[in-house]
Amino acid sequence: MNFVVPVPANIADLEFSWQSLAGHPLPYSMELDYDVVRVPGTASGMMALLSPRVNVSAKGEVPVVLQVFRIRLPCSGLVSAEIPLALRLNVTAPPGTKYNDTILVFKRNKICLKGVETPPRNESVRLEPGPLVNGAGALYVAATCACALILVVGSVASALYIRNSKARVQESHYSAADTDGLARSSVLVRVDPRPGSANSGSYATIADLEPLYARPYGFRASYYAASHVTSLSQSTDPCEKARALSVPRSALYCRNLVQEGTFGRVYRGTLDVTGREQEVIIKTVTEVASAYQASLLVVEGSQLAGLVHANIASLAAACLDSSCPLLAYTSTQGELNLKLYLTDGNHHPVTRDLVNVGAQVARAGAFLHGRGLLHRDIAARNCLIEASTLRVRLADAALARDLFPQDYHCLGDNENRPIRWMALESLQHNQYSTATDVWSFGVFLWELATLGQQPYVEVDPFEMMACLRDGYRLAQPRPCPDELFAVMAVCWLGLSRDRPTMPQLLAYLQDFHDALGGFI
């Protein structure tokens, strides 16, 4: 409710599902306030927004069964304008209880464009305009949840998860939230896992991922520019790539320790080649590490070697002269691990910043997929961020199992895997594709929205496969806009072919980032 979300010109309806959980209907009253924006220079004083209509009465009772009501916001098409609105829903608490009457307010701005006229509709009740709630021009759509006795969910029609799942959600698990409003453990929702359904265990389909915001020039041509691939090109042997970047031990200087695990360490230091020093991050293992752990560092650390991209942290140099290999990555003084950045409490990125971070990682993922490469472990722990500029780079997963052991689990096969970030088909059949990277990217976006919380924290790692197979997914974090959660939701579709590709996600997030800059 703290976000001002624009309603684009091509969206005319706001839909809400509501239900009284008190066991009996609860009285409500509804008020719709909106600003009258008239077309200048017209004698008739025609408005940019015609009279909004609601297909329920201004007073009544919240039903005991899940139902939907709609607010229609018809534009005249005569002028371009942004119209603040406010729908207040006041719910009366049950008599004789400890609960108070409740009012919730959601913020929206209706965008009308000249030449884009909304077709008429007849199943609605006209509400007359009233004063704005706060006088500052913010759009409010209010819904109420009286002391956990009422469930009300609202969205713009293009917000995929809310719209498509409002009639499908069967049960939920809720957890407490801390004082800053961020849930400290995830909330799971269950979507319809009907056997034989084309979207079994899915929120929506890729066809629903149409542009969130009206664009005079139409949607991006690159939106449908790629498809998922499962057969990927074979890259050079990782050890060979590391040896090609080999430097003597004297060229690397480990200045200060920034992160340490059981057998792995990360230093900040310098790389001196041909007399020119450059800032680097150095990954290595300790003397207690086994030969397997040392070789795993080299293999995983060479995963992105040889790639040149602004949003990828690729291997710059390697020293393989001893039992404790050193891997160096170019860096800056202010660059941090993204997960540590999100969880340290000293940084407070706003929604537009988080969308920007997501778009940069999507750009890196699209670059990898375009070259026939998979990452297999897209997560905040495997990203670096420059705190001052918010430039983000996707890195390899070398030492991640040791440095972030809470994110990896062994299911009895002697292999630590990022279970909570893995797609259903990866858990079931050990299958990996660009679509499984997209699934992990959706969990990564959820990490951003929750500032680094642990996904599926309530679920035992051994139950993750059954949890996903039964249709459970991460629910919308409390401070996350519908539009951002819509991106996450389509990344977790049950069928891999229905998930968006990285180029599609990149186009979507770029548009959303631009829109946030224009309207919020």
Side-chain angles (χ1 to χ4, degrees):
M1 299 193 309
N2 293 325
F3 293 92
V4 180
V5 180
V7 182
N10 62 326
I11 299 298
D13 297 302
L14 300 175
E15 292 185 348
F16 294 82
S17 56
W18 60 348
Q19 180 182 10
S20 168
L21 303 180
H24 54 81
L26 294 174
Y28 77 85
S29 62
M30 188 181 298
E31 297 176 356
L32 179 63
D33 298 337
Y34 62 97
D35 195 7
V36 177
V37 179
R38 299 187 181 276
V39 180
T42 59
S44 59
M46 290 296 292
M47 296 180 290
L49 178 70
L50 303 178
S51 298
R53 296 177 178 273
V54 184
N55 65 348
V56 293
S57 59
K59 292 184 178 181
E61 293 182 328
V62 178
V64 294
V65 296
L66 192 64
Q67 294 184 4
V68 177
F69 70 87
R70 179 187 301 109
I71 305 168
R72 188 160 181 81
L73 306 174
C75 292
S76 66
L78 297 176
V79 69
S80 297
E82 294 182 33
I83 300 92
L85 296 97
L87 176 71
R88 294 186 182 185
L89 185 62
N90 309 291
V91 178
T92 303
T97 67
K98 63 180 180 180
Y99 302 120
N100 298 320
D101 296 349
T102 309
I103 302 174
L104 300 181
V105 177
F106 294 88
K107 305 174 184 179
R108 299 292 187 270
N109 265 12
K110 178 65 180 111
I111 301 168
C112 290
L113 295 179
K114 187 175 182 179
V116 180
E117 184 177 356
T118 304
R121 209 167 189 158
N122 297 321
E123 84 274 10
S124 49
V125 178
R126 176 172 174 171
L127 296 184
E128 297 299 330
L132 288 175
V133 174
N134 64 354
L139 178 156
Y140 291 86
V141 175
T144 323
C145 177
C147 316
L149 296 176
I150 308 162
L151 172 65
V152 182
V153 180
S155 81
V156 178
S158 61
L160 307 183
Y161 167 70
I162 300 297
R163 182 190 65 180
N164 288 281
S165 69
K166 61 178 177 284
R168 301 185 207 166
V169 176
Q170 297 178 2
E171 54 185 297
S172 303
H173 299 294
Y174 294 90
S175 59
D178 65 356
T179 55
D180 65 5
L182 292 173
R184 281 302 165 198
S185 58
S186 64
V187 181
L188 302 183
V189 295
R190 187 183 181 204
V191 292
D192 187 3
R194 293 167 293 176
S197 170
N199 291 319
S200 178
S202 299
Y203 295 96
T205 65
I206 185 58
D208 292 313
L209 198 63
E210 288 299 327
L212 284 177
Y213 297 96
R215 296 277 182 172
Y217 50 84
F219 58 78
R220 308 173 66 93
S222 62
Y223 189 84
Y224 296 99
S227 60
H228 289 299
V229 292
T230 54
S231 57
L232 300 170
S233 59
Q234 297 296 319
S235 58
T236 307
D237 176 64
C239 294
E240 287 297 326
K241 292 194 288 186
R243 279 191 283 271
L245 297 170
S246 180
V247 297
R249 179 64 181 84
S250 58
L252 288 171
Y253 170 64
C254 298
R255 187 173 62 246
N256 58 293
L257 181 68
V258 295
Q259 211 173 344
E260 184 175 18
T262 303
F263 61 84
R265 288 174 180 167
V266 179
Y267 291 90
R268 190 169 295 282
T270 56
L271 170 64
D272 188 347
V273 180
T274 65
R276 188 176 68 90
E277 280 193 358
Q278 61 181 126
E279 187 75 15
V280 292
I281 288 175
I282 301 172
K283 295 183 180 181
T284 187
V285 292
T286 64
E287 293 76 10
V288 301
S290 65
Y292 170 76
Q293 290 165 337
S295 64
L296 188 62
L297 168 68
V298 176
V299 170
E300 293 186 332
S302 305
Q303 177 188 11
L304 306 179
L307 299 177
V308 179
H309 190 275
N311 298 116
I312 290 181
S314 61
L315 188 64
C319 176
L320 309 177
D321 296 342
S322 69
S323 60
C324 299
L326 288 83
L327 304 182
Y329 307 79
T330 58
S331 181
T332 62
Q333 283 280 5
E335 201 166 38
L336 307 168
N337 179 279
L338 178 57
K339 182 158 186 170
L340 300 181
Y341 169 89
L342 293 171
T343 57
D344 69 1
N346 296 321
H347 304 95
H348 306 283
V350 298
T351 300
R352 192 166 189 258
D353 296 334
L354 298 176
V355 173
N356 177 34
V357 169
Q360 292 182 67
V361 175
R363 189 175 295 112
F367 177 83
L368 291 178
H369 291 177
R371 281 147 185 79
L373 300 172
L374 295 181
H375 190 279
R376 297 179 182 238
D377 197 0
I378 297 176
R381 61 184 170 273
N382 293 324
C383 295
L384 300 171
I385 183 170
E386 169 60 55
S388 59
T389 63
L390 296 184
R391 185 182 74 121
V392 178
R393 297 191 299 159
L394 179 62
D396 56 56
L399 295 184
R401 291 171 179 80
D402 183 53
L403 299 176
F404 299 94
Q406 71 278 10
D407 292 352
Y408 294 85
H409 298 88
C410 177
L411 300 184
D413 53 4
N414 294 322
E415 182 182 356
N416 271 332
R417 292 177 292 172
I419 302 297
R420 304 181 194 278
W421 281 259
M422 291 171 62
L424 179 58
E425 64 266 29
S426 299
L427 292 171
Q428 287 181 317
H429 310 298
N430 202 31
Q431 294 177 351
Y432 292 89
S433 67
T434 53
T436 62
D437 268 1
V438 165
W439 182 297
S440 300
F441 179 78
V443 182
F444 164 75
L445 291 179
W446 189 91
E447 286 186 277
L448 293 180
T450 59
L451 297 184
Q453 290 182 41
Q454 187 79 348
Y456 297 103
V457 70
E458 305 94 339
V459 182
D460 186 280
F462 285 89
E463 299 297 327
M464 272 301 302
M465 185 191 305
C467 174
L468 299 178
R469 185 188 59 225
D470 292 343
Y472 289 96
R473 300 290 188 269
L474 293 166
Q476 184 172 0
R478 195 171 284 183
C480 176
D482 295 344
E483 290 77 4
L484 182 56
F485 184 67
V487 188
M488 305 177 203
V490 292
C491 292
W492 304 324
L493 295 178
L495 297 178
S496 60
R497 66 173 180 266
D498 290 337
R499 297 171 204 153
T501 63
M502 281 294 182
Q504 291 168 345
L505 290 167
L506 173 58
Y508 188 100
L509 289 170
Q510 283 179 329
D511 282 351
F512 188 31
H513 179 264
D514 294 343
L516 287 172
F519 299 120
I520 296 181

